[in-house]
Amino acid sequence: RDEDPLLVKDSMPLLLKLNELLVEKDPENHELLAMTGKMFIIYSNLFIHTPAEMLDYREWKKQAEMYSRSKKMYMRGSRYLKESIETKYKKHIDLSDSKTLDIKFSKDDVDTLFWLGGGIMSAVSIDITDPFISSLRQSGIDIMLKAYELDPDYGKGALHEYFIQYYASIPAGMGGSAEKSEYHFK
């Protein structure tokens, strides 16, 4: 709602660090953990990843640095969101093994799942060649599918938008599907 986007951009790092200090003081607050994770992912997307994509090809070094930083911010946010779920459900989650996500989630968890899956998949999209990041791909997809199962209309179609792009952008051998993409479009 702020009329000055640069003011918002300039204030975000302070807010992120402030939230991290609050988490240190209250590490069992799953809502605070989730909000902190979500803020890191939003910051990364709005102020690092998207601007990096807009750079001219001649600025490839700066772009590579921004992508690297963005990936780290996505993963930092994802760690907070993962901790939020672990704290709420008192269960350890290994994101490289989607079988550890066998939690009986409720509709109240959709927002956290959406941002966790989105953060992971955003990091994957930046650097599929990173062995650790690419090992999280299946969990990222599974998390988004869990969110969709709980509330397919979350965020006024945000999950549908995600799956339109996801199914349309990957090869069929990796799960891509024009039919599924069209289904979510409709």
Side-chain angles (χ1 to χ4, degrees), residues 55-56 64 69 79 89 123 132-133 159 171:
L55 291 176
D56 186 85
R69 183 167 181 245
R79 279 191 301 276
Y89 288 99
F132 172 72
I133 299 292
L159 284 161

Side-chain angles (χ1 to χ4, degrees), residues 126-146:
I126 288 174
D127 190 359
I128 193 73
T129 64
D130 179 324
F132 172 72
I133 299 292
S134 63
S135 75
L136 304 179
R137 181 183 163 276
Q138 190 58 52
S139 288
I141 295 163
D142 290 346
I143 291 166
M144 295 302 268
L145 288 168
K146 281 186 183 290

Side-chain angles (χ1 to χ4, degrees), residues 16 20 23 30-45 69-85 95 111-123 136:
L16 293 172
E20 286 188 319
V23 165
H30 73 90
E31 292 172 338
L32 179 60
L33 286 161
M35 182 177 61
T36 302
K38 184 176 173 178
M39 287 174 60
F40 269 98
I41 290 168
I42 291 168
Y43 176 77
S44 181
N45 185 270
R69 183 167 181 245
S70 181
K71 179 176 77 167
K72 289 175 186 170
M73 292 290 171
Y74 283 135
M75 293 310 299
R76 192 170 180 171
S78 296
R79 279 191 301 276
Y80 282 113
L81 289 154
K82 174 184 164 290
E83 288 175 27
S84 171
I85 293 169
L95 290 176
D111 188 63
T112 301
L113 292 169
F114 174 80
W115 287 99
L116 174 57
I120 291 168
M121 295 307 289
S122 294
L136 304 179

Side-chain angles (χ1 to χ4, degrees), residues 96-113:
S96 62
D97 180 5
S98 61
K99 291 182 184 103
T100 65
L101 292 164
D102 63 344
I103 294 170
K104 185 85 170 150
F105 291 106
S106 73
K107 198 170 182 177
D108 292 341
D109 298 315
V110 173
D111 188 63
T112 301
L113 292 169

